[in-house]
Amino acid sequence: MTDFSIAKFNNYQEYLHSFTTVEDFRYLPFHKTVITLTKLGYREHRSFYEEDEFLNVKKQVEQLLNPTVSAQIYYSQYFKGTDPALWALAEREHGNVQQETSTIIFLEISGRSGFSKSGYIDFEASLRNYRFKGPNAVDWKAVFEERKLLKPQPSDIVFYDWKTRKIFANDNDNYTVVAHPEHGLMFAHKGDHKNIPVTTKKNPFSSNVRRSMIRSSLYGFIILYDHHVRKKT
């Protein structure tokens, strides 16, 4: 998740100074000692960034807050193949980038060990993360060129490793992960507050999503959950 708190700092020195207090300098008069304690995590529980990490996050935040025309890159232009799954994603890229549609991709990949890894991928967030060179970014240009396979990973909104039985659920800029007591796994869209269920069973939220299962020579089966984002009036 993007750390927008970085935007208020003009430089790394201001960021470092935000971790210090008057008491620090009263009892620890040497500036280097205060900074060392900060880096070791003794100051606050919030994440601490080294200078190169700070600069990368700050650049990403500034690009998100002040998007440029050049940032609107459509990686589906590199798709020249015939795979139905990539074709379906190419059709949906523009709507997701413009945030008119929100697509969640369910994907399961078998590993060399014979165990699978599955996950729910927020298409728009993943595209944006790659565009701004964020952490664990999917190389969407290579995916559409069929040079790399799209794979679920622990940073996705939901990830499950069938070998270790570990599950990861991550809220992001678009969604909150919800474990509904009656209707199971859902994703609550932060833009219009609509719940997106993944179950095929009829439920009160079924009209919020269009579910498509697609057979692919590259991926086996993928499921796409398309949600039309309702804009505020």
Side-chain angles (χ1 to χ4, degrees), residues 168-207:
F168 297 84
N170 305 293
D171 297 345
N172 68 4
D173 296 338
N174 293 328
Y175 287 103
T176 299
V177 182
V178 177
H180 194 281
E182 183 178 354
H183 304 297
L185 177 65
M186 294 194 298
F187 301 100
H189 194 275
K190 292 182 178 180
D192 59 13
H193 308 292
K194 299 295 182 180
N195 287 328
I196 314 303
V198 302
T199 180
T200 57
K201 295 181 180 179
K202 189 72 174 177
N203 63 77
F205 313 105
S206 297
S207 61

Side-chain angles (χ1 to χ4, degrees), residues 195-227:
N195 287 328
I196 314 303
V198 302
T199 180
T200 57
K201 295 181 180 179
K202 189 72 174 177
N203 63 77
F205 313 105
S206 297
S207 61
N208 294 336
V209 65
R210 181 165 59 89
R211 183 181 185 273
S212 305
M213 178 178 285
I214 301 168
R215 185 181 181 88
S216 162
S217 58
L218 293 174
Y219 297 99
F221 285 96
I222 71 168
I223 302 174
L224 302 180
Y225 299 88
D226 296 311
H227 170 60

Side-chain angles (χ1 to χ4, degrees), residues 40-99:
L40 290 174
Y42 290 108
R43 300 267 49 89
E44 294 187 29
H45 295 296
R46 59 184 164 127
S47 299
F48 177 80
Y49 299 105
E50 295 291 348
E51 187 168 8
D52 58 338
E53 295 174 319
F54 170 84
L55 294 174
N56 286 333
V57 174
K58 184 170 175 59
K59 181 180 179 181
Q60 182 181 7
V61 169
E62 288 174 345
Q63 287 175 323
L64 289 172
L65 294 176
N66 302 287
T68 61
V69 174
S70 62
Q72 302 302 325
I73 301 170
Y74 294 95
Y75 302 107
S76 55
Q77 65 180 305
Y78 300 104
F79 176 59
K80 308 298 180 185
T82 59
D83 183 76
L86 293 179
W87 179 268
L89 291 175
E91 286 186 315
R92 289 162 168 78
E93 185 184 18
H94 182 272
N96 275 266
V97 170
Q98 298 300 320
Q99 297 189 344

Side-chain angles (χ1 to χ4, degrees), residues 95-144:
N96 275 266
V97 170
Q98 298 300 320
Q99 297 189 344
E100 298 165 353
T101 302
S102 180
T103 300
I104 295 172
I105 307 164
F106 174 78
L107 181 64
E108 184 169 301
I109 297 292
S110 296
R112 293 180 180 178
S113 63
F115 290 94
S116 298
K117 295 179 180 180
S118 58
Y120 291 86
I121 303 168
D122 180 346
F123 189 29
E124 186 280 325
S126 184
L127 288 166
R128 174 160 42 94
N129 191 42
Y130 177 59
R131 189 177 302 118
F132 295 125
K133 310 305 178 188
N136 304 313
V138 172
D139 186 343
W140 279 101
K141 181 176 182 292
V143 169
F144 279 115

Side-chain angles (χ1 to χ4, degrees), residues 136-155:
N136 304 313
V138 172
D139 186 343
W140 279 101
K141 181 176 182 292
V143 169
F144 279 115
E145 289 178 335
E146 298 185 19
R147 292 188 291 108
K148 291 184 179 180
L149 285 177
L150 176 63
K151 297 180 180 180
Q153 51 187 336
S155 56

